Amino acid sequence: MSTSVSIWRSYYQLCKPRVVALMLVTAVVGMLLAAEGNLTWQIVVFGVIGIGLVACSGGVLNHFIDHRIDAIMYRTKIRPIPSGRVTPKNALIFAIVLGIIGLLLLIIFVNVLTAVLTFLALVGYAIIYTVFLKRATPQNIVIGGLAGAAPPLLGWTAVTGQLGYPGLLLLLIIFTWTPAHFWPLCVYRPDDYAKANIPMLAVTHGVAFTKFSILMYTILLIAVSLLPFVVDMSGLIYLIGALLLGAGFLYWAIRLKLSDDRKVAIKTFHYSNFYLMSLFLLLLVDHYFPILT
């Protein structure tokens, strides 16, 4: 029994559940912000499951493609494939099955546009980013971040069946957030990426420049996060909350810039997760309690 549980836990870990959970929160926010009396249980349930399964597929493909460099890096060498708990072949089959089921659910129960965009996001993350960009340029996470920023737009299109500026604006927030979120990991363990010959910014341009870039992207993120208020998509609750959350992010970015303690990098990374989830929840609170604004 314990062996069976361990195997299933390994496959579960391949799906990058924490990352997918955060993505699904933003997708659901996109759905709820788009809803104007036409939100059905079918769209919510099958939209979340479909987007989630395809996102899991992308996570598994990332593990499959990177399993050789994962075995080199301290942070990733205990992952299911490099540790030998799951074979690369089984991981690939698992990813394909998850992706096909997820896309079919979106096509049948949601709409074709959402399925197409979800598929493009999968290709962008698993192929364009993981196979090419990650190994080609220190701006890999900036360019590749577009695929990871798609979930709120997918939630929007799942409800409306069309692209709209609010959904694109939510995508822009995550796109801007991604470098400031991911680069602290590079600051924490730059030697890992150097050993694996991955040209992350901290490897090619140094830790000091990466810290400066995180600070600049944090400032840019704060500005972008105010756009929902500027375009009248949200009100004062969101504005105040976004400013407070942004001040917290700025605090950690400045502290990281000035500190030589690598633990600050991990704390900055963790705060970035809290920041994004809180920001999107604020959008919901502001949207559904307009009387307070």
Side-chain angles (χ1 to χ4, degrees), residues 13-37:
Q13 290 170 351
L14 283 175
C15 295
K16 298 193 173 183
R18 292 182 181 177
V19 175
V20 172
L22 183 57
M23 292 171 64
L24 289 180
V25 167
T26 65
V28 170
V29 170
M31 291 178 183
L32 294 175
L33 291 178
E36 293 181 0

Side-chain angles (χ1 to χ4, degrees), residues 8 11-16 20 49-61 90-106 118 122:
W8 282 109
Y11 279 96
Y12 175 72
Q13 290 170 351
L14 283 175
C15 295
K16 298 193 173 183
V20 172
I49 294 175
I51 294 169
L53 287 177
V54 177
C56 287
S57 175
V60 179
L61 285 172
N90 287 344
L92 179 60
I93 294 171
F94 184 48
I96 293 171
V97 171
L98 288 175
I100 290 174
I101 294 174
L103 289 171
L104 285 176
L105 289 176
L106 293 174
T118 304
L122 173 64

Side-chain angles (χ1 to χ4, degrees), residues 28 35 80 82-83 128 140 156-157 177 185 215 239 256 261 271 283:
V28 170
S83 66
I128 297 175
N140 46 27
W156 183 273
T157 61
W177 164 85
L185 287 178
L215 179 57
L239 175 64
L256 178 62
D261 185 356
Y271 180 82
L283 282 166

Side-chain angles (χ1 to χ4, degrees), residues 2-293:
S2 60
T3 302
S4 177
V5 171
S6 176
I7 291 173
W8 282 109
R9 184 180 293 117
S10 296
Y11 279 96
Y12 175 72
Q13 290 170 351
L14 283 175
C15 295
K16 298 193 173 183
R18 292 182 181 177
V19 175
V20 172
L22 183 57
M23 292 171 64
L24 289 180
V25 167
T26 65
V28 170
V29 170
M31 291 178 183
L32 294 175
L33 291 178
E36 293 181 0
N38 59 341
L39 184 63
T40 66
W41 69 267
Q42 177 177 301
I43 289 175
V44 174
V45 172
F46 290 108
V48 168
I49 294 175
I51 294 169
L53 287 177
V54 177
C56 287
S57 175
V60 179
L61 285 172
N62 179 264
H63 278 275
F64 168 76
I65 295 166
D66 279 351
H67 73 273
R68 288 185 178 85
I69 64 172
D70 283 347
I72 299 172
M73 297 170 62
Y74 179 83
R75 184 175 63 87
T76 57
K77 64 182 180 181
I78 61 171
R79 284 178 171 176
I81 300 178
S83 66
R85 287 177 284 137
V86 178
T87 66
K89 178 182 177 182
N90 287 344
L92 179 60
I93 294 171
F94 184 48
I96 293 171
V97 171
L98 288 175
I100 290 174
I101 294 174
L103 289 171
L104 285 176
L105 289 176
L106 293 174
I107 292 170
I108 296 170
F109 296 106
V110 184
N111 58 61
V112 174
L113 175 61
T114 302
V116 170
L117 292 176
T118 304
F119 176 72
L120 291 176
L122 173 64
V123 171
Y125 174 69
I127 306 300
I128 297 175
Y129 166 68
T130 304
V131 175
F132 298 107
L133 291 175
K134 188 172 184 178
R135 293 157 173 80
T137 170
Q139 293 299 310
N140 46 27
I141 198 65
V142 178
I143 306 168
L146 187 61
L153 177 62
L154 301 179
W156 183 273
T157 61
V159 175
T160 64
Q162 59 187 8
L163 295 171
Y165 81 85
L168 292 170
L169 184 51
L170 298 178
L171 179 148
L172 179 61
I173 290 174
I174 300 182
F175 177 72
T176 311
W177 164 85
T178 301
H181 157 71
F182 187 82
W183 279 336
L185 287 178
C186 304
V187 171
Y188 182 62
R189 288 196 177 275
D191 296 342
D192 263 3
Y193 293 100
K195 247 190 328 185
N197 200 29
I198 300 297
M200 289 298 180
L201 194 65
V203 175
T204 60
H205 290 68
V207 169
F209 181 79
T210 306
K211 290 179 178 181
F212 174 76
S213 299
I214 291 169
L215 179 57
M216 292 299 100
Y217 263 97
T218 301
I219 294 171
L220 179 61
L221 173 62
I222 293 171
V224 170
S225 72
L226 301 182
L227 290 178
F229 177 79
V230 173
V231 301
D232 204 28
M233 180 179 160
S234 62
L236 285 176
I237 288 179
Y238 174 78
L239 175 64
I240 295 170
L243 287 171
L244 291 174
L245 287 169
F249 210 149
L250 187 61
Y251 164 79
W252 281 108
I254 293 173
R255 187 173 170 186
L256 178 62
K257 177 72 173 65
L258 300 177
S259 175
D260 292 326
D261 185 356
R262 289 188 179 181
K263 291 181 181 178
V264 176
I266 284 298
K267 291 178 180 179
T268 304
F269 172 78
H270 289 317
Y271 180 82
S272 70
N273 285 322
F274 169 78
Y275 169 89
L276 189 66
M277 183 168 290
S278 299
L279 192 74
F280 272 74
L281 291 177
L282 266 174
L283 282 166
L284 279 188
V285 172
D286 186 276
H287 182 74
Y288 284 99
F289 297 95
I291 191 171
L292 299 178
T293 64

